[in-house]
PDB file of all heavy atoms in Angstrom:
ATOM      1  N   THR B 125      95.870  63.665  13.430  1.00  0.00           N
ATOM      2  CA  THR B 125      95.076  63.582  14.653  1.00  0.00           C
ATOM      3  C   THR B 125      95.480  64.669  15.680  1.00  0.00           C
ATOM      4  O   THR B 125      94.576  65.366  16.248  1.00  0.00           O
ATOM      5  CB  THR B 125      95.311  62.191  15.356  1.00  0.00           C
ATOM      6  OG1 THR B 125      95.094  61.260  14.308  1.00  0.00           O
ATOM      7  CG2 THR B 125      94.381  62.022  16.467  1.00  0.00           C
ATOM      8  N   SER B 126      96.817  64.859  15.902  1.00  0.00           N
ATOM      9  CA  SER B 126      97.249  65.885  16.918  1.00  0.00           C
ATOM     10  C   SER B 126      96.808  67.236  16.531  1.00  0.00           C
ATOM     11  O   SER B 126      96.384  68.046  17.401  1.00  0.00           O
ATOM     12  CB  SER B 126      98.729  65.808  17.124  1.00  0.00           C
ATOM     13  OG  SER B 126      99.390  66.069  15.943  1.00  0.00           O
ATOM     14  N   GLU B 127      96.900  67.504  15.286  1.00  0.00           N
ATOM     15  CA  GLU B 127      96.468  68.890  14.779  1.00  0.00           C
ATOM     16  C   GLU B 127      95.046  69.092  14.954  1.00  0.00           C
ATOM     17  O   GLU B 127      94.545  70.149  15.289  1.00  0.00           O
ATOM     18  CB  GLU B 127      96.882  68.986  13.311  1.00  0.00           C
ATOM     19  CG  GLU B 127      97.081  70.384  12.843  1.00  0.00           C
ATOM     20  CD  GLU B 127      97.509  70.513  11.393  1.00  0.00           C
ATOM     21  OE1 GLU B 127      98.128  69.574  10.863  1.00  0.00           O
ATOM     22  OE2 GLU B 127      97.149  71.495  10.777  1.00  0.00           O
ATOM     23  N   ARG B 128      94.279  68.009  14.680  1.00  0.00           N
ATOM     24  CA  ARG B 128      92.770  68.114  14.770  1.00  0.00           C
ATOM     25  C   ARG B 128      92.432  68.302  16.247  1.00  0.00           C
ATOM     26  O   ARG B 128      91.545  69.140  16.554  1.00  0.00           O
ATOM     27  CB  ARG B 128      92.232  66.696  14.259  1.00  0.00           C
ATOM     28  CG  ARG B 128      90.749  66.823  14.008  1.00  0.00           C
ATOM     29  CD  ARG B 128      90.263  65.708  13.163  1.00  0.00           C
ATOM     30  NE  ARG B 128      90.526  64.459  13.685  1.00  0.00           N
ATOM     31  CZ  ARG B 128      90.983  63.334  12.942  1.00  0.00           C
ATOM     32  NH1 ARG B 128      91.219  63.524  11.692  1.00  0.00           N
ATOM     33  NH2 ARG B 128      91.187  62.248  13.544  1.00  0.00           N
ATOM     34  N   ILE B 129      93.170  67.526  17.083  1.00  0.00           N
ATOM     35  CA  ILE B 129      92.776  67.682  18.601  1.00  0.00           C
ATOM     36  C   ILE B 129      93.188  69.193  19.005  1.00  0.00           C
ATOM     37  O   ILE B 129      92.423  69.795  19.770  1.00  0.00           O
ATOM     38  CB  ILE B 129      93.584  66.703  19.413  1.00  0.00           C
ATOM     39  CG1 ILE B 129      92.933  65.297  19.207  1.00  0.00           C
ATOM     40  CG2 ILE B 129      93.605  66.986  20.888  1.00  0.00           C
ATOM     41  CD1 ILE B 129      93.720  64.112  19.569  1.00  0.00           C
ATOM     42  N   GLU B 130      94.246  69.699  18.498  1.00  0.00           N
ATOM     43  CA  GLU B 130      94.525  71.077  18.780  1.00  0.00           C
ATOM     44  C   GLU B 130      93.577  72.025  18.394  1.00  0.00           C
ATOM     45  O   GLU B 130      93.195  72.963  19.101  1.00  0.00           O
ATOM     46  CB  GLU B 130      95.903  71.403  18.110  1.00  0.00           C
ATOM     47  CG  GLU B 130      96.589  72.682  18.605  1.00  0.00           C
ATOM     48  CD  GLU B 130      96.791  72.689  20.118  1.00  0.00           C
ATOM     49  OE1 GLU B 130      97.300  71.765  20.698  1.00  0.00           O
ATOM     50  OE2 GLU B 130      96.414  73.759  20.646  1.00  0.00           O
ATOM     51  N   ARG B 131      92.919  71.781  17.241  1.00  0.00           N
ATOM     52  CA  ARG B 131      91.839  72.685  16.733  1.00  0.00           C
ATOM     53  C   ARG B 131      90.578  72.521  17.567  1.00  0.00           C
ATOM     54  O   ARG B 131      89.934  73.540  17.850  1.00  0.00           O
ATOM     55  CB  ARG B 131      91.637  72.428  15.279  1.00  0.00           C
ATOM     56  CG  ARG B 131      92.529  73.246  14.373  1.00  0.00           C
ATOM     57  CD  ARG B 131      92.533  72.776  12.947  1.00  0.00           C
ATOM     58  NE  ARG B 131      91.181  72.793  12.352  1.00  0.00           N
ATOM     59  CZ  ARG B 131      90.564  73.740  11.760  1.00  0.00           C
ATOM     60  NH1 ARG B 131      91.143  74.968  11.821  1.00  0.00           N
ATOM     61  NH2 ARG B 131      89.403  73.711  11.187  1.00  0.00           N
ATOM     62  N   VAL B 132      90.291  71.302  17.965  1.00  0.00           N
ATOM     63  CA  VAL B 132      89.118  71.085  18.802  1.00  0.00           C
ATOM     64  C   VAL B 132      89.311  71.826  20.135  1.00  0.00           C
ATOM     65  O   VAL B 132      88.488  72.540  20.673  1.00  0.00           O
ATOM     66  CB  VAL B 132      88.796  69.638  19.014  1.00  0.00           C
ATOM     67  CG1 VAL B 132      87.590  69.396  20.027  1.00  0.00           C
ATOM     68  CG2 VAL B 132      88.535  68.892  17.727  1.00  0.00           C
ATOM     69  N   ARG B 133      90.594  71.654  20.681  1.00  0.00           N
ATOM     70  CA  ARG B 133      90.889  72.311  21.921  1.00  0.00           C
ATOM     71  C   ARG B 133      90.726  73.795  21.834  1.00  0.00           C
ATOM     72  O   ARG B 133      90.094  74.508  22.675  1.00  0.00           O
ATOM     73  CB  ARG B 133      92.359  72.008  22.242  1.00  0.00           C
ATOM     74  CG  ARG B 133      92.812  72.395  23.720  1.00  0.00           C
ATOM     75  CD  ARG B 133      94.230  72.068  23.823  1.00  0.00           C
ATOM     76  NE  ARG B 133      94.476  70.678  24.151  1.00  0.00           N
ATOM     77  CZ  ARG B 133      95.570  70.026  23.873  1.00  0.00           C
ATOM     78  NH1 ARG B 133      96.564  70.583  23.217  1.00  0.00           N
ATOM     79  NH2 ARG B 133      95.752  68.724  24.204  1.00  0.00           N
ATOM     80  N   GLY B 134      91.238  74.411  20.726  1.00  0.00           N
ATOM     81  CA  GLY B 134      91.070  75.878  20.531  1.00  0.00           C
ATOM     82  C   GLY B 134      89.652  76.230  20.457  1.00  0.00           C
ATOM     83  O   GLY B 134      89.215  77.267  20.933  1.00  0.00           O
ATOM     84  N   ALA B 135      88.850  75.447  19.723  1.00  0.00           N
ATOM     85  CA  ALA B 135      87.373  75.686  19.554  1.00  0.00           C
ATOM     86  C   ALA B 135      86.622  75.692  20.994  1.00  0.00           C
ATOM     87  O   ALA B 135      85.921  76.549  21.281  1.00  0.00           O
ATOM     88  CB  ALA B 135      86.821  74.788  18.574  1.00  0.00           C
ATOM     89  N   VAL B 136      87.012  74.683  21.726  1.00  0.00           N
ATOM     90  CA  VAL B 136      86.334  74.583  23.125  1.00  0.00           C
ATOM     91  C   VAL B 136      86.853  75.781  23.952  1.00  0.00           C
ATOM     92  O   VAL B 136      85.892  76.317  24.603  1.00  0.00           O
ATOM     93  CB  VAL B 136      86.803  73.205  23.805  1.00  0.00           C
ATOM     94  CG1 VAL B 136      86.375  73.196  25.209  1.00  0.00           C
ATOM     95  CG2 VAL B 136      86.203  72.101  22.978  1.00  0.00           C
TER      96      VAL B 136
END
Side-chain angles (χ1 to χ4, degrees):
Chain B
T125 308
S126 59
E127 203 179 333
R128 195 162 58 222
I129 286 164
E130 192 53 48
R131 275 169 50 87
V132 178
R133 190 182 280 151
V136 171

